[in-house]
Amino acid sequence: MALTIKALIGGIFQLLLFPLALFLAAGTIAWPAGWIFLLLLYSFVLVTVLLLAGRNPGLLKERMSMFSSQQKDRDPMFILLLAASIVWLVLMPLDAVRFHWSQIPVQLQGIGAIVLIAAFAIIYLVFRENAYLTPTVRVQEERGHTVVSTGLYGYMRHPMYTGFHLFFIGTALLLGSAFGFLLALVLIALFFRRAVLEERVLRKELPGYEAYMAQVNRRFIPYVW
């Protein structure tokens, strides 16, 4: 399936967003933690794009487009999360590099890198398992959307969000921003709210999802939450 111009533009925007936001806000490119973050991020992106290009080009197109032409209504929670994430991304270099509002020990930055790698591993496994991962909440009738209950989905209903939670925490620690860490907690709370709203849609529109919820009763952490 050939990528559309819209998908290509969306993909390029997503690729450029991180370095532009980080280094413009930092006011310098002499920021080792920023480069380590980008190295980890783009390594993950490359591996994931290769996976999807071979196994699920339709999903690759969906993820690059950000918004789907099949969607009837915009997802207001997605818009809020996108805006909050951009604020978070700009806040961290302002905090850690330009103004030095807070400091995080080097040891915690190393832990942040490990958490970030764990986040990417989880998200990769989710992409490999679930062929219906649109950025916005919708049931993809045109692609024969069915309930996914294998892999990580056998233990938690929203493993992608679990990966995002770890991504926010790991990134804030790696980049050395305590304020970024605090805002990461707010983003996690927003994702919790989005998961509740998403489940309402899926219970109503996706056959078998309510039975799946009864079978897998944890949203983000197996046996815990």
Side-chain angles (χ1 to χ4, degrees):
M1 180 185 297
L3 294 176
T4 64
I5 297 297
K6 180 180 179 181
L8 287 172
I9 292 174
I12 292 171
F13 169 77
Q14 293 175 65
L15 286 176
L16 293 179
L17 173 64
F18 287 92
L20 289 176
L22 289 175
F23 291 116
L24 287 177
T28 178
I29 61 172
W31 184 21
W35 287 110
I36 293 171
F37 168 76
L38 290 178
L39 175 63
L40 294 176
L41 174 66
Y42 287 137
S43 296
F44 163 73
V45 169
L46 176 61
V47 171
T48 304
V49 166
L50 291 176
L51 169 75
L52 296 182
R55 295 183 57 173
N56 197 338
L59 178 56
L60 177 61
K61 180 181 175 181
E62 284 274 359
R63 300 304 300 190
M64 290 175 67
S65 297
M66 296 184 69
F67 294 102
S68 171
S69 60
Q70 301 289 336
Q71 189 180 343
K72 296 177 181 178
D73 300 302
R74 291 305 187 200
D75 181 346
M77 183 58 73
F78 173 73
I79 301 297
L80 175 60
L81 280 165
L82 180 61
S85 297
I86 293 174
V87 171
W88 170 75
L89 196 60
V90 172
L91 173 66
M92 289 184 289
L94 290 176
D95 174 21
V97 182
R98 186 181 286 267
F99 298 116
H100 301 285
W101 292 325
S102 67
Q103 290 185 340
I104 286 182
V106 173
Q107 295 86 343
L108 279 181
Q109 289 185 272
I111 292 173
I114 295 171
V115 172
L116 188 58
I117 292 170
F120 288 147
I122 290 173
I123 296 171
Y124 175 83
L125 292 175
V126 172
F127 274 121
R128 194 176 68 176
E129 202 69 36
N130 190 346
Y132 310 106
L133 287 168
T134 57
T136 52
V137 178
R138 69 185 186 91
V139 174
Q140 303 163 65
E141 297 178 358
E142 76 282 0
R143 298 178 61 211
H145 196 163
T146 58
V147 175
V148 177
S149 58
T150 54
L152 294 179
Y153 286 91
Y155 302 94
M156 47 189 162
R157 298 199 295 266
H158 301 280
M160 174 66 89
Y161 291 170
T162 299
F164 286 164
H165 297 167
L166 292 177
F167 171 80
F168 291 131
I169 292 172
T171 299
L173 291 177
L174 171 59
L175 297 182
S177 173
F179 286 103
F181 181 84
L182 293 176
L183 187 51
L185 300 180
V186 175
L187 286 165
I188 289 171
L190 289 175
F191 267 103
F192 176 79
R193 176 59 178 167
R194 188 174 197 255
V196 173
L197 297 175
E198 180 177 334
E199 287 176 349
R200 289 179 185 173
V201 173
L202 295 177
R203 288 178 64 184
K204 180 180 179 181
E205 300 182 12
L206 183 60
Y209 194 81
E210 190 162 5
Y212 168 69
M213 290 180 64
Q215 178 186 358
V216 179
N217 59 5
R218 294 294 183 264
R219 286 191 174 99
F220 307 119
I221 304 174
Y223 311 112
V224 178
W225 182 29

